[in-house]
Amino acid sequence: MLIISALGIFSINYYIYLRFIAKSRLKRKIKLTILGLLVVLSFTLLLVRWVVRDLIGSTVFDVFAPSLCFMMVFFLTLFSVSIAADLISLPLVGFKRKKLVNPYYQTVLFLCAAALTVWGQYEGHKIPEVKEVTLKSSLIREPVKIALMSDLHITRVTDIERVKKIVAEINDLHADVIVLAGDILDDEIKHIIKTAQPLKNLRAPLGVYYVTGNHEYYLNVNDAEELIKQIGIPQLENRGVQLREDLYIAGVPDRKQGPKFMHDFDPDAALADASDRQFKILVSHQPIENDGASLVLSGHTHGGQMLPFQLISPLYNSGMLSGLYGSKDRYIYISNGAGSWGPQLRVLAPYDISLVTVEPEQNGGS
């Protein structure tokens, strides 16, 4: 996986070299130096989060990591902007490549990519917005408010004050139940015990519940589950809980990583004790379609997080990216998430905490 990722990043950087550097008037030595730096950058960025931090020490790492992440995001954004602009421009210039590599056109692309990168990093350090959605169901007798948070991605460099603010924001919604839909923890647990502690302050009358995401499995899922248990949040793994006579909540482990670690992914078992007369909530980190659930709550996609993943992510998630899908007690809702994987960055995919309200259906309404 690391090799594939490295080759993918190198391909992007090599395209940038061909597109912006190779035909420039720079001296050959300078061109080759830039190409060498792009190669080094391609592989270094994959190691910077764990290996480089341990090698060079946390103080030096914390100084240089933001610059490396900015460069990575800038090159990725420049690649996306260039591809999009070239596809639009080529027919307009009669498919003449020379007109696409003139310095004025290239400067515009550079400036656009830089602006998007700066804006994305600004968005990446904001507190999530509250996104509200209301559903109707004939299975619900009284309204229920569900606060959904996913993809917080707590790491050793996460600001604990940000976690505290997010917890306070969720509590201020006065939801009946709070759901943590995976990828909450994303580091070796010994490094994030303190940062995760504010989660114990989450409060809801019908409870707070958690399921694992793929990132909990990448390090040590047992340690992650133990920390969540110590914090006092029940985990739903192929099981469910009756919240009210008309309301049932269940959860499953991450559908791709769970089975690799002998954590079966079994939605049928999770919903086995639910009644057909209950509104059934199924929490699954990765979006899934399930005929047994009235509402599936998910995260994982980050809403694409940044260009060009808004176009790529749906290909791996049954065509879904963000927001509400389905109808009439076969709903799927996907949160953009409250954190970022990799650089703290969001482009056209703002963070969110979702408040999903399910109301009784009136007069045969939808």
Side-chain angles (χ1 to χ4, degrees), residues 307-327:
L307 300 170
F309 297 109
Q310 282 88 347
L311 301 176
I312 298 172
S313 185
L315 301 178
Y316 297 91
N317 293 284
S318 303
M320 297 179 286
L321 180 66
S322 176
L324 184 65
Y325 298 85
S327 62

Side-chain angles (χ1 to χ4, degrees), residues 56-363:
I56 68 176
S58 60
T59 302
V60 177
F61 172 87
D62 292 342
V63 171
F64 288 101
S67 299
L68 287 171
C69 287
F70 183 90
M71 291 171 64
M72 177 187 74
V73 173
F74 172 73
F75 287 134
L76 184 59
T77 304
L78 181 59
F79 170 78
S80 303
V81 169
S82 301
I83 289 289
D86 288 351
L87 289 175
I88 295 171
S89 302
L90 272 171
L92 300 178
V93 299
F95 296 92
K96 295 179 180 179
R97 185 178 180 276
K98 287 184 178 180
K99 292 188 177 182
L100 299 182
V101 295
N102 74 74
Y104 300 104
Y105 183 72
Q106 306 228 70
T107 299
V108 170
L109 294 180
F110 260 90
L111 292 176
C112 287
L116 282 172
T117 304
V118 171
W119 175 50
Q121 291 214 317
Y122 167 74
E123 290 289 319
H125 287 83
K126 292 173 66 175
I127 299 299
E129 303 172 353
V130 175
K131 185 186 294 183
E132 298 189 33
V133 61
T134 300
L135 312 176
K136 302 285 186 179
S137 174
S138 59
L139 298 172
I140 284 288
R141 300 176 188 174
E142 298 179 6
V144 60
K145 292 184 177 182
I146 309 154
L148 169 64
M149 177 179 69
S150 72
D151 302 277
L152 185 55
H153 288 281
I154 294 177
T155 71
R156 67 190 73 184
V157 296
T158 299
D159 183 1
I160 191 173
E161 293 303 318
R162 184 174 190 273
V163 179
K164 290 179 180 178
K165 289 177 181 178
I166 290 173
V167 167
E169 181 179 39
I170 295 173
N171 285 336
D172 286 345
L173 296 176
H174 302 292
D176 298 297
V177 59
I178 297 172
V179 172
L180 308 183
D183 280 8
I184 304 302
L185 309 177
D186 192 12
D187 203 335
E188 293 177 278
I189 298 305
K190 64 182 180 181
H191 295 298
I192 60 173
I193 293 175
K194 181 178 179 181
T195 310
Q197 291 307 306
L199 296 176
K200 68 172 55 176
N201 296 320
L202 289 168
R203 296 286 184 271
L206 298 180
V208 183
Y209 299 94
Y210 162 84
V211 301
T212 53
N214 52 306
H215 279 258
E216 274 91 359
Y217 286 92
Y218 290 154
L219 294 163
N220 189 319
V221 67
N222 294 327
D223 287 350
E225 291 176 339
E226 181 61 28
L227 177 56
I228 290 294
K229 181 179 179 180
Q230 291 175 4
I231 287 172
I233 299 176
Q235 179 180 342
L236 299 176
E237 181 167 313
N238 298 323
R239 71 179 187 91
V241 177
Q242 178 172 303
L243 301 180
R244 301 187 321 209
E245 287 188 6
D246 61 340
L247 186 62
Y248 191 90
I249 187 169
V252 287
D254 184 78
R255 69 184 176 93
K256 290 185 178 179
Q257 295 301 318
K260 296 179 182 179
F261 292 83
M262 301 180 68
H263 289 236
D264 293 338
F265 173 79
D266 195 341
D268 292 337
L271 295 166
D273 295 332
S275 165
D276 291 339
R277 296 185 299 275
Q278 291 176 315
F279 187 88
K280 297 176 283 295
I281 302 167
L282 179 64
V283 188
S284 170
H285 175 65
Q286 299 192 34
I288 61 169
E289 299 181 61
N290 185 275
D291 292 337
S294 311
L295 170 64
V296 177
L297 296 176
S298 300
H300 183 62
T301 68
H302 294 209
Q305 185 163 328
M306 60 184 177
L307 300 170
F309 297 109
Q310 282 88 347
L311 301 176
I312 298 172
S313 185
L315 301 178
Y316 297 91
N317 293 284
S318 303
M320 297 179 286
L321 180 66
S322 176
L324 184 65
Y325 298 85
S327 62
K328 190 58 178 176
D329 292 333
R330 290 294 181 270
Y331 297 106
I332 302 171
Y333 183 81
I334 306 171
S335 168
N336 281 358
S340 295
W341 178 77
Q344 291 293 107
L345 177 132
R346 288 284 179 140
V347 177
L348 304 177
Y351 297 131
D352 72 53
I353 301 295
S354 298
L355 182 64
V356 181
T357 302
V358 186
E359 298 179 344
E361 188 177 62
Q362 300 294 335
N363 300 321

Side-chain angles (χ1 to χ4, degrees), residues 17-31:
Y17 170 78
L18 294 176
R19 177 69 178 74
F20 293 93
I21 307 299
K23 298 297 182 180
S24 69
R25 297 179 180 178
L26 296 173
K27 293 182 178 180
R28 187 170 181 271
K29 289 184 178 180
I30 297 177
K31 292 180 182 179

